[in-house]
């Protein structure tokens, strides 16, 4: 069991999670080149551990949880700190944070209604994650003088904002529909049991 828990993909996810405080410190110290390179490496490791888990047939519930936590920690910490540094508009950050909060609260609410929870990322949700990571990487690259976005910054922020809002609305629609079906099923089941008695 120990070997299975500490397999290679899970170890990479743990390293990505461990890199989050260092990325945060580098941003706070405005060591932009180092922060950018470490963020790039951590983001790339997200694709690597997923591929390794599938190729080596080492997918585990722990690995999936570690992957999600590491991704969220890296993206949200970087997002908040870059916003604090004035590199990302507040309205973009608020949209992304609200989107994540709505999804978490909606999932918890659904579990309260249905008694179970199965999360399957949508294509729009995956697009949001890619757009958010791309935005963070491009902003860090600009701050490190490795890139020059110039006039593209405005459209990039607008796209990230729009995708976050659309993804949040989609999840509200999906979870709302599931909750309504669960309620109807519960009412129908209660009515059937009443008739049987």
């Amino acid at each position: 069991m120990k070997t299975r828990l500490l397999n290679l993909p899970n170890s990479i996810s743990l390293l990505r999670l461990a890199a989050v405080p260092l990325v945060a410190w580098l941003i706070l110290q405005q060591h932009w080149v180092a922060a950018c390179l470490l963020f790039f490496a951590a983001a790339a490791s997200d694709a690597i551990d997923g591929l390794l888990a599938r190729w080596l047939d080492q997918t585990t519930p722990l690995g999936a949880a570690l992957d999600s936590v590491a991704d969220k920690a890296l993206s949200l910490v970087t997002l908040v700190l870059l916003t604090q540094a004035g590199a990302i508009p507040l309205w973009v950050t608020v949209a992304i944070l609200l989107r994540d909060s709505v999804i978490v609260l909606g999932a918890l609410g659904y579990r309260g209604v249905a008694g179970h929870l199965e999360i399957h990322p949508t294509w729009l949700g995956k697009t949001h994650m890619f757009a958010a990571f791309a935005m963070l990487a491009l902003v860090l690259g600009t701050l490190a003088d490795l890139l020059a976005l110039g006039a593209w910054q405005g459209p990039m922020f607008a796209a990230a904002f729009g995708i976050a809002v659309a993804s949040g609305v989609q999840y509200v629609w999906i979870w709302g529909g599931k909750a309504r079906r669960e309620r109807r099923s519960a009412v129908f089941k209660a009515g059937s049991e009443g008739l049987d008695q």
Side-chain angles (χ1 to χ4, degrees), residues 132-147:
F133 268 94
M135 178 188 70
L136 295 172
L138 291 171
V139 169
L140 281 170
T142 301
L143 291 170
D145 290 327
L146 300 175
L147 300 169

Side-chain angles (χ1 to χ4, degrees), residues 20-32 34-36 39 74 77-85 140 143:
V20 174
L22 184 53
V23 171
W25 183 83
L26 291 170
I27 292 174
L28 289 172
Q29 299 301 313
Q30 297 188 0
H31 296 319
W32 299 121
C36 179
F39 181 86
L74 180 64
V77 167
T78 304
L79 174 70
V80 170
L81 292 179
L82 288 179
T83 304
Q84 185 181 37
L140 281 170
L143 291 170

Side-chain angles (χ1 to χ4, degrees), residues 16-73:
R16 184 163 71 258
L17 186 60
V20 174
L22 184 53
V23 171
W25 183 83
L26 291 170
I27 292 174
L28 289 172
Q29 299 301 313
Q30 297 188 0
H31 296 319
W32 299 121
V33 173
C36 179
L37 293 177
L38 183 57
F39 181 86
F40 275 28
S45 75
D46 181 33
I48 293 172
D49 62 11
L51 288 173
L52 285 174
R54 288 187 290 273
W55 287 346
L56 301 176
D57 193 23
Q58 293 181 343
T59 56
T60 64
L62 174 63
L66 280 175
D67 186 62
S68 297
V69 170
D71 287 350
K72 280 299 178 187

Side-chain angles (χ1 to χ4, degrees), residues 9-10 16 18 21 23 27 34 41-42 44 56 64 83 87 93 96 128 130 135 146 149 166 175 177 187-188:
N10 291 358
R16 184 163 71 258
V23 171
I27 292 174
L56 301 176
T83 304
T93 302
I96 292 174
H128 164 75
F130 175 80
M135 178 188 70
L146 300 175
L149 287 178
W175 288 114
V187 170
F188 178 77

